[in-house]
Amino acid sequence: DFDRRLLLVRQGKGKKDRYTILSVIVLGLIKEYLKVRMRKGSVYLFDTPTGHITSATVEKIVENAVRSVGLVKISLLTLCGTRLRRII
């Protein structure tokens, strides 16, 4: 929901659907990504040919990003527990 700056996370922790608030910067990045992504019309923001990406894929992406900027090892759980939206 771009108007309210909300992202719906389906079947998250506890198999529940939840909304998360998006910063203006992240919202802009998502809009740019949606313009260029390969699979148009998917119900998933980040998808694969067989559906959505897995949590293992997300963990690997975060691990590679943390390593590329030279940070100490940070887990996905640590990142979820922080307010990175304010930083981004």
Side-chain angles (χ1 to χ4, degrees), residues 11-78:
Q11 299 293 301
K13 186 176 178 181
K15 301 289 184 188
K16 295 182 180 180
D17 295 346
R18 292 183 175 82
Y19 282 97
T20 186
I21 299 170
L22 299 172
S23 72
V24 174
I25 294 170
V26 171
L27 184 63
L29 293 170
I30 289 172
K31 286 180 179 180
E32 288 299 314
Y33 168 75
L34 290 174
K35 288 179 187 175
V36 299
R37 76 176 177 173
M38 301 299 280
R39 298 175 50 80
K40 304 287 184 191
S42 173
V43 296
Y44 301 109
L45 179 58
F46 303 108
D47 58 0
T48 67
T50 59
H52 62 84
I53 62 174
T54 65
S55 58
T57 302
V58 173
E59 288 176 10
K60 188 55 109 177
I61 290 168
V62 169
E63 180 182 305
N64 290 339
V66 165
R67 191 177 313 121
S68 73
V69 296
L71 293 175
V72 295
K73 187 170 181 165
I74 297 175
S75 72
L76 185 58
L77 184 59
T78 302

